[in-house]
C-alpha cells in the first residue's frame, strides 16, 4: 500500500486534505492524524472491519480496546448509554482536552472497539486538525496511538511514518504534539472514579472537580501474572526503545556519580551508553549520548517519547534515566518511564 503523506498547517487549513482524510475514513480506511496528546491512527469507530485494520497495522493484541474520538459533544449520546454526574463534571471542566472517560456503551459500538467489554472509552480532543477530520468524517473515530504496538507513542509525523509507512492509507502531518503523552483515562462507571492511566490532566486536577478518586495499581507498579489492570492495555510492555533502560534514583549528586560509573563500565564492555536527564544536569554526564528532557515536567512529558525513539536512532545499547517527582504530570511521566524500563530501578 502507498501511504499518502500530507502536511497541514492548523493556522491555514487546506480543506482538500481534510476532505480526503474524511473520505478515507468513511470508506473504511486508516488515517493517522495529530491530536494534542500523541498522533492517533484513525478508523471509522462504528465499522468493525475498519477497526480490525487498526489492530493489524499496529500489531496490537485484540483484547486491548480502542478509544473513540468525537468531534463535537453531541456525538457522545450516540455511543454511550448514560452520562453519570461525575462524568459530566469532568466533561465540563476538561473537554475538549487530553482526558478520556470510560462510559457504559451502546450496542452500536462494535466489540472490536471495546475489546468485548460493556464499556467504551471516549475522548473529545482539542487539537483543531483532529476535530476537523472527525467532524468531516461524521462518525466517531477510533484512534489509538499511531505507533507499532510496544514502541513509544508518536509525537511527530516522522515517528508515524517510521512505524506505519506502507501499512495505512494516509498520514496527516500537523507538526509536533503539544502534550506528548497519551490521554489521562478515568473510569466513572463505578462508585468511586478510578484513574486507569495518568496524563496531563492530573489526579489532583480531577480531584478538585469530582472529589476522591482511586488509582489503578497498574499505574505505578508491575502487576503479578494473576492481577488484571482495569485498562487492558496497561498490562502490555510499552514505550520501550530497543536499548535496555534503567531508572536511577537517589540524591541528585549520587545519581549523577552512579550513572557516570555505570556508563564508564558499560563503555569498557563495548556498549554505547545513553542518559536521559534534566537539561540543567546534561553537561555533568559522560555517556555517549546525553539527551536533555527539559527542566519542568510539562517539557519532559512533551519530549519523552521523541527522546526514547532517538536512543534507538542512535543505536544506544544502555540507557540510564533520572527520575522525576510523581506528583502532577510527573505521575504520567514516571508511569511511561517505568514501563520503558520494565520497572528496573537502580538505587544510587
Ligand atoms: P491507546 O489509544 O493506544 O493509547 O490505548 C488506549 C488505552 O485505553 C488502552 O490502555 C486501553 O486498554 C484503554 N481502554 C480503552 N477502552 C477501555 C475501556 N472500555 N475500559 C478501560 N480501558 C479502556
Ligand atoms: Mg498506545
Amino acid at each position: 500500500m502507498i501511504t499518502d503523506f500530507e502536511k497541514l498547517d492548523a493556522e491555514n487549513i487546506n480543506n482538500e486534505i481534510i476532505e480526503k482524510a474524511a473520505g478515507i475514513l468513511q470508506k473504511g480506511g486508516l488515517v493517522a492524524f495529530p491530536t494534542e496528546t500523541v498522533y492517533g491512527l484513525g478508523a471509522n469507530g462504528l465499522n468493525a472491519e475498519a477497526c480490525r485494520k487498526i489492530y493489524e497495522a499496529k500489531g496490537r493484541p485484540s483484547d486491548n480496546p480502542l478509544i473513540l474520538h468525537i468531534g463535537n459533544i453531541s456525538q457522545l449520546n450516540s455511543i454511550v448509554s448514560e452520562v453519570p454526574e461525575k462524568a459530566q463534571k469532568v466533561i465540563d471542566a476538561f473537554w475538549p482536552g487530553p482526558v478520556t472517560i470510560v462510559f457504559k456503551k451502546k450496542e452500536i459500538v462494535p466489540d472490536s472497539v471495546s475489546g468485548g467489554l460493556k464499556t467504551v472509552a471516549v475522548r473529545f480532543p482539542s487539537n483543531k486538525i483532529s476535530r476537523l477530520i472527525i467532524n468531516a468524517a461524521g462518525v466517531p473515530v477510533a484512534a489509538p496511538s499511531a505507533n507499532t504496538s510496544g514502541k513509544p507513542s508518536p509525537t511527530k509525523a516522522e515517528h508515524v511514518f517510521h512505524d506505519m509507512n506502507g501499512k495505512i492509507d494516509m498520514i496527516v502531518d500537523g507538526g509536533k504534539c503539544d502534550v506528548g503523552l497519551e490521554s489521562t483515562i478515568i473510569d466513572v462507571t463505578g462508585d468511586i472514579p478510578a484513574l486507569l492511566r495518568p496524563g496531563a490532566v492530573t489526579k489532583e486536577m480531577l480531584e478538585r472537580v469530582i472529589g476522591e478518586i482511586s488509582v489503578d495499581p497498574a499505574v505505578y507498579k508491575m502487576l503479578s501474572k494473576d492481577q488484571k489492570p482495569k485498562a487492558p492495555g496497561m498490562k502490555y510492555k510499552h514505550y520501550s526503545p530497543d536499548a535496555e533502560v534503567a531508572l536511577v534514583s537517589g540524591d541528585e549528586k549520587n545519581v549523577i556519580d552512579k550513572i557516570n560509573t555505570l556508563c564508564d563500565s558499560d563503555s569498557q564492555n563495548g556498549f554505547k551508553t545513553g542518559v536521559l536527564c534534566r537539561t540543567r544536569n546534561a553537561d555533568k554526564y559522560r555517556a555517549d549520548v546525553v539527551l536533555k528532557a527539559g527542566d519542568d515536567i510539562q517539557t519532559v512529558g512533551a519530549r519523552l517519547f521523541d527522546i526514547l525513539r532517538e536512543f534507538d536512532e542512535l543505536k544506544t545499547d544502555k540507557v540510564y534515566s533520572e527520575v522525576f517527582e510523581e506528583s502532577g504530570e510527573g505521575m504520567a511521566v514516571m508511569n511511561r518511564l517505568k514501563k520503558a524500563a520494565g520497572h528496573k530501578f537502580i538505587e544510587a
Side-chain angles (χ1 to χ4, degrees):
M1 178 187 292
I2 294 179
T3 303
D4 184 12
F5 190 96
E6 301 279 1
K7 271 191 194 298
L8 194 54
D9 176 0
E11 301 305 316
N12 185 16
I13 292 290
N14 176 344
N15 271 318
E16 267 176 42
I17 294 174
I18 298 286
E19 290 303 328
K20 193 168 178 183
I24 292 171
L25 291 172
Q26 285 163 349
K27 283 194 221 105
L30 300 184
V31 178
F33 57 83
T35 81
E36 68 276 22
T37 58
V38 302
Y39 273 77
L41 179 55
N44 177 346
L46 302 181
N47 175 336
E49 174 57 19
C51 292
R52 199 192 50 73
K53 291 186 196 161
I54 291 182
Y55 289 90
E56 194 177 302
K58 282 180 59 82
R60 181 175 174 111
S62 61
D63 68 343
N64 187 2
L66 308 174
I67 295 173
L68 283 186
H69 292 67
I70 56 176
N72 59 80
I73 198 74
S74 65
Q75 271 178 327
L76 183 64
N77 285 324
S78 66
I79 50 179
V80 311
S81 63
E82 60 175 312
V83 178
E85 196 189 327
K86 285 185 179 163
Q88 190 58 51
K89 287 187 172 161
V90 176
I91 290 171
D92 293 342
F94 303 110
W95 274 10
V99 60
T100 295
I101 307 174
V102 176
F103 296 92
K104 293 192 174 124
K105 79 176 186 82
K106 275 192 173 155
E107 277 298 308
I108 191 176
V109 177
D111 276 347
S112 56
V113 165
S114 64
L117 299 173
K118 299 237 173 303
T119 52
V120 62
V122 185
R123 187 161 91 83
F124 180 14
S126 63
N127 176 285
K128 182 174 169 186
I129 294 174
S130 64
R131 285 164 63 174
L132 287 170
I133 291 175
I134 299 166
N135 283 327
V139 288
V141 174
S145 50
N147 53 293
T148 301
S149 215
K151 288 288 151 199
S153 294
T155 53
K156 294 176 172 170
E158 297 90 287
H159 301 157
V160 182
F161 185 84
H162 179 275
D163 286 13
M164 293 294 154
N165 186 36
K167 298 182 179 172
I168 64 176
D169 298 285
M170 184 177 186
I171 298 171
V172 178
D173 177 357
K176 257 197 292 199
C177 300
D178 293 337
V179 173
L181 295 171
E182 305 87 346
S183 58
T184 306
I185 304 180
I186 179 111
D187 182 346
V188 288
T189 57
D191 290 340
I192 299 180
L195 183 73
L196 307 189
R197 178 171 74 184
V201 172
T202 65
K203 175 173 183 269
E204 295 86 341
M205 287 158 74
L206 286 163
E207 279 181 332
R208 255 175 255 140
V209 176
I210 51 172
E212 187 200 352
I213 59 183
S214 65
V215 180
D216 195 63
V219 167
Y220 48 87
K221 65 175 193 197
M222 186 147 66
L223 297 184
S224 60
K225 280 214 174 77
D226 49 346
Q227 282 178 303
K228 267 198 185 153
K230 284 212 185 119
M234 294 289 275
K235 70 174 170 284
Y236 295 106
K237 191 172 160 160
H238 228 144
Y239 317 118
S240 23
D242 298 333
E244 200 182 308
V245 182
L247 309 181
V248 185
S249 63
D251 251 22
E252 189 158 293
K253 163 122 191 9
N254 294 346
V255 166
I256 294 166
D257 290 345
K258 180 76 182 179
I259 289 180
N260 280 330
T261 310
L262 288 163
C263 288
D264 290 345
S265 115
D266 287 339
S267 293
Q268 276 168 9
N269 291 321
F271 294 115
K272 185 166 181 180
T273 57
V275 169
L276 185 161
C277 63
R278 289 169 183 76
T279 301
R280 62 182 155 81
N281 291 336
D283 57 8
K284 299 177 188 142
Y285 287 106
R286 297 194 290 271
D288 298 310
V289 179
V290 178
L291 297 181
K292 301 170 188 161
D295 287 311
D296 64 277
I297 200 68
Q298 282 76 20
T299 308
V300 178
R303 287 190 194 161
L304 182 64
F305 291 144
D306 189 34
I307 288 179
L308 292 178
R309 281 179 178 258
E310 195 166 343
F311 284 126
D312 276 355
E313 293 291 309
L314 298 171
K315 307 241 175 303
T316 319
D317 302 303
K318 304 254 187 189
V319 169
Y320 299 100
S321 175
E322 293 182 353
V323 300
F324 300 88
E325 183 147 7
E326 286 190 56
S327 60
E329 197 172 323
M331 192 186 212
V333 166
M334 284 305 293
N335 167 260
R336 305 320 189 263
L337 268 176
K338 284 181 197 172
K339 289 190 150 213
H343 292 265
K344 183 173 174 194
F345 271 93
I346 296 171
E347 195 61 45

